[in-house]
Amino acid sequence: INILSVGGSFQPFSDIEVPAMFKKVAVGSKYYFYRKDEQRAGTSDFESTDNDADVGQEWDVYLHWQVMEQLRASLRYGIFFSGDAFPEATNDNTEFFSASLTYSF
């Protein structure tokens, strides 16, 4: 499978007067395009059964916050738009959301 992605992020509070703990907040987004090398090739998704190279596209948005040196919080939302490699009966969009806290020691 071939994956092309385009994205970017920024730190909205890096240049304004806010408490130090909010300086390391990053907001970003990525867009992905998924294609098979060959139309007849398979994918790891068993519902992708049609002979078409267009697997789909995905859009993600995220917020990462380095709360303290050892603590990081993340929120992520994404939606996958099925391509023509999926039959009409199984080509619904798929959404996901995740929240995580990481403590490094």
Side-chain angles (χ1 to χ4, degrees):
I1 194 163
N2 296 313
I3 303 169
L4 171 69
S5 70
V6 178
S9 67
F10 67 100
Q11 291 182 305
F13 306 126
S14 63
D15 295 330
I16 61 174
E17 190 67 35
V18 294
M21 69 182 299
F22 295 110
K23 289 284 188 184
K24 293 187 178 180
V25 171
V27 178
S29 181
K30 274 190 142 179
Y31 203 88
Y32 300 89
F33 300 90
Y34 301 99
R35 291 191 61 79
K36 294 190 262 182
D37 287 339
E38 298 179 22
Q39 287 185 343
R40 294 187 335 229
T43 68
S44 61
D45 190 326
F46 296 119
E47 293 180 346
S48 170
T49 58
D50 284 0
N51 288 331
D52 196 290
D54 178 24
V55 176
Q57 301 173 30
E58 179 180 338
W59 177 57
D60 293 348
V61 292
Y62 58 87
L63 180 136
H64 297 306
W65 177 22
Q66 191 75 39
V67 182
M68 300 182 308
E69 184 177 331
Q70 297 169 313
L71 183 63
R72 180 181 183 134
S74 295
L75 297 174
R76 185 175 282 279
Y77 168 80
I79 184 166
F80 175 75
F81 306 100
S82 303
D84 292 333
F86 291 84
E88 182 129 357
T90 63
N91 70 354
D92 294 337
N93 297 336
T94 303
E95 294 180 89
F96 70 89
F97 177 79
S98 69
S100 65
L101 282 175
T102 304
Y103 181 76
S104 302
F105 56 94

